[in-house]
Amino acid sequence: MWLIRKKVMMMIMEASKDSYPKEFGAFLRAHDNIIYEIALLPGTIQGNVHVIFPMYALPLDFTYVGSVHSHPSGVTLPSDEDLHMFSNTGPVHIIVGYPYNMENYSAYDRKGNPIRLEVI
Ligand SMILES: [Zn+2]
């Protein structure tokens, strides 16, 4: 199971609101399964359809554990592109959905299986 600091989740929701109707995307940093920070990487493109992550910019750093992005549709299920990206970028991935309240999120492992993520 993964944990995320409340202020980080609030930051994600705020950034997702700011980006609406586009998607917001960032990487997640964690220590001992607790996500404590989001990392915006230069070159991340906020698309109307999809965020494009600059994989070349992902540091070789074990604190980078996965990704977060928003779904303006409100549906927090991963797309085929999401599943491909998950498999390349770490063990935990969060999708948050419109209207970006603190409850509308889902977490997945690198294969796209739902996993538990608790806000602490
Ligand atoms: Zn997506």
Side-chain angles (χ1 to χ4, degrees):
M1 188 180 82
W2 289 81
L3 303 169
I4 184 166
R5 297 258 179 236
K6 189 176 182 187
K7 71 170 190 318
V8 177
M9 186 59 96
M10 288 170 71
M11 203 183 296
I12 290 167
M13 295 304 183
E14 284 306 311
S16 297
K17 284 176 193 167
D18 286 349
S19 300
Y20 186 84
K22 294 188 176 181
E23 290 192 4
F24 166 75
F27 286 102
L28 301 170
R29 301 187 75 187
H31 179 71
D32 290 343
N33 279 34
I34 301 172
I35 296 160
Y36 65 88
E37 190 174 78
I38 53 173
L40 298 168
L41 296 185
T44 301
I45 298 164
Q46 292 181 334
N48 281 316
V49 179
H50 210 273
V51 170
I52 300 165
F53 286 99
M55 300 307 174
Y56 60 85
L58 187 62
L60 289 173
D61 178 337
F62 66 88
T63 67
Y64 284 74
V65 292
S67 70
V68 57
H69 73 281
S70 66
H71 277 183
S73 67
V75 179
T76 58
L77 293 170
S79 65
D80 288 347
E81 290 89 346
D82 291 341
L83 292 172
H84 182 71
M85 184 268 289
F86 289 178
S87 68
N88 290 326
T89 48
V92 57
H93 302 278
I94 303 170
I95 299 175
V96 299
Y98 185 83
Y100 308 127
N101 57 39
M102 291 295 279
E103 281 80 48
N104 204 3
Y105 68 89
S106 301
Y108 301 94
D109 67 14
R110 69 166 73 238
K111 289 183 176 159
N113 299 310
I115 56 174
R116 263 184 81 190
L117 174 73
E118 269 184 28
V119 179
I120 56 165

